[in-house]
Amino acid sequence: MRMYDIILKKRGGGELSEEEIRFFVQGYTEGEIPDYQVSALMMAIFFQKMTERETLALTMAMARSGDMLDLSGIHGIKVDKHSTGGVGDKTSLALGPMTAACGIPVAKMSGRGLGHTGGTIDKLESFPGFSTALTTERFIENVNRIGIAIMGQTADLAPADKKLYALRDVTATVDNMSLIASSIMSKKLAAGADAIVLDVKTGSGAFMKSEADARALAEEMVKIGRNAGRRMTAVISDMDQPLGYAIGNALEVKEAIDTLQGRGPKDFVELCLVLGSRMLMAGGKAEQEGEARAMLQKVIADGSALKKLAELVEAQGGDPRAVYDPRQLPQAPIQLPVTADAEGYVHHIDCQEAGVCSLMLGGGRETKNSCIDPAVGLVLHKKAGDSVKAGETLAVIHAAGWEQAEAAGEHFRAACHIEKDPPMSRPFIVDIL
Ligand code: URA
């Protein structure tokens, strides 16, 4: 088999066979096929697209390019959740303990944040001492012992995707639906869960800005997962403004703790209940949504979800006292309010730019190797649709220095649009597939 023929076939609109796909994925991962040939193939795929059969073959070849996690040592149906990423998205921090407290074994591999979106691992590392560098044995043992473990993605999880994604990033071939769906799903399938609940975001802070694109991506990923024999659900949810009020690692941990104490923001609580109920249904713990929601509300009300978070923190080397007293989490020395210039309604908060504020403060990563400050970020006081008076606080910036605080404050002011009339409301849960 020759790479040249594979490129030519795809360029002419042909359907690649499973063998041809396996050949280039394996050859590229092992360094036998050069970047320039794979770049040409990615561009041919970009224009000619991939069929359902090709997309599944690519996903499976990438998933099998490294370790496939074997979770059979964990009792029960393993249900994973994946979010396509957003701003203020601390869902796993609350949802993991909630579903674990309801009896779902939570064996989660998570990533770090890059750019304006945050990552679960960075957020968890706000707990002093918390480590996500677990061996697979310890990961499985923790899930069997306390019902939950969260580890960082190992280098050997879908290494083909890692290489291909980096190549697509510099060859303008990221935004092809089949390539995105296979990239995400290869990691999810390699991570070993029996059922996967996807949270596909749409809006100004999301990877997929339009609802049509978010829906197409959700449908593509659901198809791949089902073809690979996994139980799949996808929720399409709004990310046109930050989720909840807190943006920044420790600030988001505190908001997740508030949520587990029954004091969470309305949108965030709703998302946890919608995703959580689908996870309980997929995991065989509830038949219907109403029953599942009641179970999730109960573990918040009786404190067992909060206790589960404390167990998780302790099992992974962190200090669980911070769960009951979030003042022990890292705190920024400067808190600067950003106030409204005019009276009216918050029409729109540009979600991506709100994420950029946290990045400017040092709360996110500009490049893969940047260090992050867990204490910094911002806490919104107003969200879209809220009325505001001149001089009222729109958000509070948490910063390490005055200069960064002022720059981020100005950036936020420009991202927060105030108009005379209230905005049209957007549905928060757009659809469930
Ligand atoms: N996220 C991924 O993991 N892969 C893509 O291709 C795009 C977003």
Side-chain angles (χ1 to χ4, degrees), residues 51-303:
T51 62
E52 192 173 325
R53 234 184 345 210
E54 286 177 306
T55 309
L56 179 64
L58 176 61
T59 311
M60 294 315 296
M62 293 198 295
R64 290 179 179 136
S65 65
D67 290 340
M68 297 282 283
L69 215 63
D70 178 7
L71 300 183
S72 59
I74 297 172
H75 323 296
I77 302 170
K78 278 72 67 183
V79 188
D80 199 356
K81 188 271 308 175
H82 177 79
S83 155
T84 57
V87 177
D89 188 357
K90 68 282 295 174
T91 310
S92 295
L93 303 181
L95 194 55
M98 284 165 67
T99 48
C102 290
I104 294 280
V106 176
K108 185 151 184 57
M109 268 208 183
S110 286
R112 294 190 181 276
L114 187 62
H116 72 281
T117 62
T120 300
I121 297 297
D122 297 321
K123 291 169 198 180
L124 282 168
E125 284 176 354
S126 302
F127 287 105
F130 192 95
S131 169
T132 54
L134 304 180
T135 60
T136 309
E137 293 71 33
R138 170 105 185 274
F139 179 63
I140 290 175
E141 189 191 302
N142 283 8
V143 180
N144 279 332
R145 186 165 55 83
I146 61 167
I148 182 166
I150 301 183
M151 75 188 272
Q153 244 164 45
T154 61
D156 214 33
L157 189 89
D161 170 65
K162 204 168 179 186
K163 233 179 140 179
L164 270 175
Y165 192 11
L167 186 75
R168 286 165 53 218
D169 207 21
V170 293
T171 54
T173 51
V174 167
D175 47 347
N176 167 279
M177 222 39 101
S178 300
L179 292 177
I180 297 171
S182 57
S183 165
I184 295 173
M185 287 304 293
S186 67
K187 289 168 281 208
K188 287 287 114 187
L189 297 181
D194 306 305
I196 301 164
V197 175
L198 300 167
D199 179 16
V200 181
K201 308 287 196 187
T202 177
S204 63
F207 194 59
M208 294 292 152
K209 309 281 183 225
S210 77
E211 188 188 318
D213 283 349
R215 188 178 295 279
L217 178 62
E219 282 169 357
E220 189 97 28
M221 292 196 291
V222 165
K223 238 187 291 172
I224 294 171
R226 288 189 183 146
N227 283 335
R230 313 293 167 104
R231 288 186 212 175
M232 298 295 300
T233 307
V235 172
I236 301 173
S237 71
D238 189 56
M239 187 39 81
D240 204 46
Q241 63 173 334
L243 183 60
Y245 289 90
I247 308 164
N249 296 293
L251 295 169
E252 291 186 41
V253 168
K254 180 173 178 312
E255 192 164 73
I257 291 171
D258 288 345
T259 302
L260 295 178
Q261 288 174 328
R263 296 184 276 110
K266 197 166 148 244
D267 58 350
F268 181 52
V269 171
E270 181 58 17
L271 184 65
C272 289
L273 292 176
V274 169
L275 293 170
S277 49
R278 298 290 149 171
M279 290 173 74
L280 296 193
M281 286 154 72
K285 297 289 173 193
E287 300 257 310
Q288 278 162 6
E289 192 178 348
E291 181 193 355
R293 282 176 82 99
M295 287 171 74
L296 293 160
Q297 280 158 333
K298 178 170 178 293
V299 294
I300 291 179
D302 68 12

Side-chain angles (χ1 to χ4, degrees), residues 241 244-247 255 335-339 346 349 378-384 386-388 392-398 412 416:
Q241 63 173 334
Y245 289 90
I247 308 164
E255 192 164 73
Q335 297 188 6
L336 177 72
V338 181
T339 54
V346 175
I349 298 174
L378 56 156
V379 178
L380 309 182
H381 281 219
K382 299 281 180 184
K383 295 202 43 165
D386 288 347
S387 65
V388 60
E392 226 183 327
T393 301
L394 294 171
V396 175
I397 306 289
H398 293 240
F412 182 75
C416 184

